[in-house]
Amino acid sequence: MDFSLSEEQKLLKDSVNRFLEENYSIDLRKSMIDDRQTMSGPVWEGLAKLGLLGIPFPEKYGGFGGGGIETMLVMEAIGEHLVIEPYLSTVIIAGGLVNIGGADWQKQIILPGIVDGSMLLSFAHMEADSRFSLSDVRTTAKPDGGNWVLEGQKSMVLHGPVAEKLIVSARTEGDADDEQGVTLFIVECDDENLGGHEYPLFDGTRALDVQFNGVKVGPESVIGQLGKGMTLIEEAVDFALAAVCAEAVGVMNRTHQMTLEYLKTREQFGVPIARFQALQHRAVDMFIKVEQARSMAILASGSLEFDDPLERRRSLIAAKEYIGRVGREIGQEAIQLHGGMGMTQEMAVGHYFKRLEAIDLMFGDSAHQRARFAKLSDTAAPTEYVQPRKKWKQI
Amino acid sequence: MQIQFTDEDRKFQTDVRDFISKGLPKDVARKVLEHKSIEKKDIGRWHSALFKQGWVAPSWPVSLGGCHWTALQQHIFDEISSLLGAPRLSPFGINMIGPVLIEFGSDFQKDRFLPKILSGEEWWCQGYSEPGSGSDLASLRTQAELRGDIYIVNGQKTWTTQAQLADMMFCLVRTGREGKKQNGISMMLIDMHQPGVEVRPITTIDGGSEEINEVWLEDVKVPVENLVGEEGRGWTIAKFLLSHERTNTAGVGASKRELSRLKQIAAQERLGGRPLIEDPLFRDKISKVEIDLMALEWTVLRVAAVEAEGKAPGPEASILKLRGTEIQQELTRLQMEAVGPNALPYLPMSIEDNWIGPKVGPDYAAALASRYFNYRKVSIYGGTNEIQRNIISKRVLGL
């Protein structure tokens, strides 16, 4: 085993961090949120110029041909700098769906557009009542001649307000919650039969609720096989889980660093409050959680290359569970250790805390992941060395 | 980055598993897996099997009879042997004084002591804590006075694990009173079988186990060749010892074994007519500790990989003892919770393997409360978890 980065990976890590250090600040983020923006043109362009928008895609489509670890490095930097750009929505999820499910000609049209920064896509999947279930899809697509007509609604499409196209999951067969019968479609956002409204999430990300009022799309807009969309969705969500785990580690690490800085500079009773053991131990416990979260994020990203699909799924679920759980604890502690200042919008720490809470609520929170983990784990324990219960004669 | 085991690692895993399945006495494994009490002779039989195989001392150099395994190989061995029910060898010789003598010992000390640690002929204990010196270890007062070529040692050690089984004790004593209190400390090797050494057992809250002792030293004679390193270097040596083999302190293998035991117990217990393990509330607790254990395991693997490159482990190494012990404690607590009121009956004798007297409740419940109470020790020994936090706060976070 080797957990060290290759020279190429180190360069990648340095370049993304340097770019964000120079071009992204908490003030820029705050002003974007105030202006109801969810991305900044120059930053996105800069990410494109560095080749970062093509990290997971094959070189033949203009990508970098990177694996889980390369994506991890970028996402961790995005977390460190609390970048609100649509990287997860466009590159990881929508780009991921096209990359794993699309026909070659679809990839040729879409992926180079993502890579050069000119095309933004979002994944419209969640519905009002689906909670964390991936297969609870009620939006329908009915055949109409050679075309398809979409009816229904989708909720909380991340970065939807800036997307030019949506990848939409719709039922072409079966009932809500059937694993089979879900198909993916590409829909243009300027379609006249598409209605909706946008709004912010508590972490500042902007989202979209959309209504499909008989949106008609051609057969060329289908991604992958008819009715087999769930396999693609699950795989893309696996990418997303690994990506948000890495992002969360960046967020946690910076949250912890800011807290240490605050403890060392804030004075009360005539000394820096870092001198108080009650606070030192809490800072240590935060550190322990950050380091273990880092281990789990590495596992999550590395597991994308595991041969055994069960082991891969189990690793991703465990990582997301752990990171959701300790992310919350780290965020809460950071606010508490910042005292009253932690409660203000002015300080960065609260924004980092809110991002950690938002990450927990994406793709299944920690309670949901624990339930999934339990189902996957070996409930049928071997009994070779447990003696059977017997009735005893004497008591 | 490569986070999967290599073919070489897998071959090593197979070799370890093959050897343990043959070499580990079945009755000893069963005792460990079923929480029966383990005797010195049980550990001795396993020690002998390992000795014949040349696998007693994973980290020692080959020239001194060790395996010189990488940290990752040591982790693999620890995990597989724990899962298969190998009892823990006495750590005081192999993992503690052995590496100290290899690093700081004289040729005489190496020749005299290392072979008998390897063979299992001599057992060791650790003379550190004193009644007035726990977390503030450097305040220790046991005194050694040089008379000719013999030190005369007077004082009292406490919490001495396995003193009742030990032939030798490595002991921190005060040889100087000048300057910083750390500077007056020396390490010496004391023969436990001599007049003036008195071992008095301390009964712990779990009641039945014989583990820790007071060791009273009255005019005990220690030849000067049993001084390790130089006078006044004891503190440096003790710190070396604490930092040695940190990956082992996590106890991942043993915790995996106990997690599996927890699931087995929960599969046999009934709640509302169904196996307890199917209860979502209890299942959630198992999942949480299982995922915590995964997070620790991957942190151990990160540390082991760094050590394998010959580099000093990073700050992540310091968290292993803390989290390892917290997880061990949580597992004993959940096992007890799993059996409900059947944890209440207290019959220490019933965990003896040959016990034929009365029992109450299922066999698997008999040891659980004792183990739970006993395991409160793990966050106290080896530097309390609060001291560990102080160390991380100072050394790693710079607070």
Side-chain angles (χ1 to χ4, degrees), chain B residues 81-348:
Chain B
S81 55
S82 298
L83 279 172
L84 294 177
R88 189 168 175 230
L89 297 187
S90 175
F92 301 106
I94 299 155
N95 298 336
M96 301 175 89
I97 192 63
V100 163
L101 293 181
I102 291 166
E103 182 80 14
F104 301 98
S106 65
D107 288 343
F108 160 76
Q109 288 165 350
K110 288 179 194 169
D111 292 347
R112 162 66 185 82
F113 297 113
L114 294 181
K116 289 186 176 177
I117 291 173
L118 269 187
S119 68
E121 197 180 330
E122 278 181 352
W123 279 42
W124 287 73
C125 62
Q126 171 183 260
Y128 275 24
S129 295
E130 296 182 6
S133 304
S135 292
D136 181 14
L137 183 61
S139 70
L140 62 88
R141 291 193 304 194
T142 292
Q143 188 174 333
E145 202 180 313
L146 189 59
R147 287 194 203 148
D149 54 2
I150 284 180
Y151 284 102
I152 305 296
V153 180
N154 280 287
Q156 188 199 335
K157 294 290 171 181
T158 193
W159 316 134
T160 317
T161 304
Q162 293 183 355
Q164 81 278 21
L165 308 176
D167 306 291
M168 294 293 300
M169 170 164 73
F170 58 95
C171 192
L172 292 180
V173 298
R174 185 157 299 286
T175 46
R177 298 194 176 280
E178 308 292 307
K180 251 178 92 180
K181 59 186 177 181
Q182 283 84 352
N183 296 342
I185 294 173
S186 303
M187 181 180 280
M188 45 191 64
L189 312 175
I190 298 180
D191 186 342
M192 295 290 282
H193 307 297
Q194 62 170 307
V197 177
E198 194 192 338
V199 176
R200 299 180 191 165
I202 298 171
T203 307
T204 44
I205 50 173
D206 51 298
S209 68
E210 288 165 12
E211 273 190 344
I212 56 175
N213 307 272
E214 297 174 341
V215 178
W216 295 71
L217 304 166
E218 195 185 341
D219 290 334
V220 168
K221 296 185 178 65
V222 181
V224 74
E225 62 262 29
N226 280 13
L227 174 71
V228 183
E230 295 141 36
E231 258 194 28
R233 284 201 72 196
W235 192 253
T236 312
I237 296 170
K239 277 199 298 190
F240 164 86
L241 202 159
L242 284 176
S243 67
H244 198 77
E245 294 190 350
R246 276 190 281 197
T247 48
N248 292 353
T249 61
V252 168
S255 284
K256 281 190 170 181
R257 178 183 73 217
E258 295 308 320
L259 174 70
S260 147
R261 179 76 176 172
L262 168 64
K263 289 181 181 175
Q264 289 159 3
I265 293 171
Q268 299 200 36
E269 285 292 312
R270 288 284 184 278
L271 181 72
R274 301 289 311 158
L276 176 65
I277 198 164
E278 293 175 13
D279 172 53
L281 272 179
F282 197 76
R283 192 63 224 198
D284 193 67
K285 294 176 189 176
I286 297 178
S287 295
K288 200 180 256 180
V289 73
E290 185 165 1
I291 291 169
D292 280 347
L293 183 53
M294 278 175 83
L296 176 67
E297 180 183 16
W298 282 89
T299 307
V300 168
L301 290 169
R302 279 171 64 202
V303 174
V306 170
E307 285 184 345
E309 289 172 48
K311 294 187 205 148
E316 61 272 21
S318 54
I319 73 183
L320 302 182
K321 195 261 174 181
L322 259 171
R323 283 304 291 148
T325 54
E326 287 169 353
I327 289 170
Q328 289 159 31
Q329 291 178 331
E330 178 64 0
L331 284 165
T332 60
R333 196 194 66 74
L334 283 173
Q335 287 178 351
M336 189 161 91
E337 183 180 329
V339 301
N342 277 328
L344 280 167
Y346 177 65
L347 297 161

Side-chain angles (χ1 to χ4, degrees), chain A residues 201-218:
Chain A
L201 307 183
F202 63 61
D203 67 333
T205 308
R206 294 195 76 81
L208 189 67
D209 276 9
V210 277
Q211 183 77 36
F212 299 85
N213 303 311
V215 171
K216 192 184 273 187
V217 294

